[in-house]
Amino acid sequence: MRADGLSAVAPAFGWTVLTAVWAILPAYVPNSVAVVVGGGPPIDGGRTWRGRRLLGDGKTWRGAVGGAVAGFVLALLMDAVRPAVAPSLPSFPLPAAVALPLGAMLGDVVGSFVKRRTGRERGAPFLLVDQLGFVVGALAVSFLLAPEWTVATFTPPVLLVVLVLTPLVHLGTNVAAYLLGLKDEPW
Ligand code: CTP
Ligand code: MG
């Protein structure tokens, strides 16, 4: 590509990345908050199914509820400051502000359910399920609760950036949490 062609495309690409990060942030934060506030009674209450835990001790009420509430509050804050700091970035109508963090925590729980069914112990790595389960959950619940907003916000280029960037960001934040002693494994 010629230099002038690149300079025309580069700002558009940068803008797509910024839009993607902004729109998916309320789905990212719940995971990190769950690591920090998690603990206490597990969601599955210790129940097993076919000899294995339903979800395992890594999915707690405190983590899921704390994470979802934190993501919701973040979405409301982002929506409030948006007109002043970044009017062209997506807004977060109430259904979207609820759906993204709720869907992220649901996707995370479904991921653990699948991990237990496939014989993986708590904390065992499961490529793509660990990195993308929560974002797929967030997008799915967002599509259910706010279909028009979801389609208008997560356009194909934005969606592509989200799906490529998320595993990298997830790995990065988990390595950081591991080094800080917050997590037992770096994934
Ligand atoms: N966590 C929590 N409640 C949640 C999600 C996470 O308490 N709903 C906390 C747990 O302390 C968990 C840690 O965050 O151990 C890391 O989350 P994650 O990697 O998702 O859980 P794992 O322990 O790896 O368990 P799993 O194999 O089921 O994913
Ligand atoms: Mg894990």
Side-chain angles (χ1 to χ4, degrees):
M1 189 181 287
R2 295 201 346 258
D4 54 344
L6 182 65
S7 63
V9 170
F13 179 68
W15 193 249
T16 305
V17 172
L18 196 61
T19 304
V21 171
W22 175 272
I24 205 65
L25 205 58
Y28 277 179
V29 164
N31 269 289
S32 307
V33 171
V35 174
V36 178
V37 305
I43 296 172
D44 67 8
R47 276 182 281 273
T48 57
W49 186 36
R50 297 186 174 174
R52 296 188 185 279
R53 285 288 293 275
L54 217 49
L55 302 174
D57 284 331
K59 301 295 116 129
T60 68
W61 285 112
R62 227 164 61 202
V65 173
V69 168
F72 173 65
V73 170
L74 177 75
L76 295 185
L77 284 175
M78 290 172 76
D79 198 56
V81 301
R82 187 189 66 93
V85 301
S88 328
L89 288 173
S91 63
F92 293 103
L94 204 57
V98 171
L100 290 171
L102 184 70
M105 290 287 84
L106 277 175
D108 185 50
V109 161
V110 170
S112 290
F113 180 79
V114 172
K115 285 171 79 171
R116 298 303 91 80
R117 303 286 72 73
T118 54
R120 290 172 170 81
E121 297 296 335
R122 172 194 178 176
F126 195 176
L127 203 69
L128 293 184
V129 170
D130 280 337
Q131 290 80 23
L132 282 178
F134 74 98
V135 92
V136 170
L139 292 171
V141 174
S142 179
F143 185 73
L144 283 176
L145 297 189
E148 283 170 27
W149 178 86
T150 305
V151 170
T153 303
F154 294 97
T155 59
V158 170
L159 195 60
L160 186 69
V161 169
V162 165
L163 294 179
V164 171
L165 213 60
T166 300
L168 301 175
V169 171
H170 187 265
L171 200 65
T173 53
N174 280 295
V175 168
Y178 172 74
L179 293 176
L180 288 169
L182 294 170
K183 262 185 122 263
D184 294 336
E185 308 89 12
W187 48 76

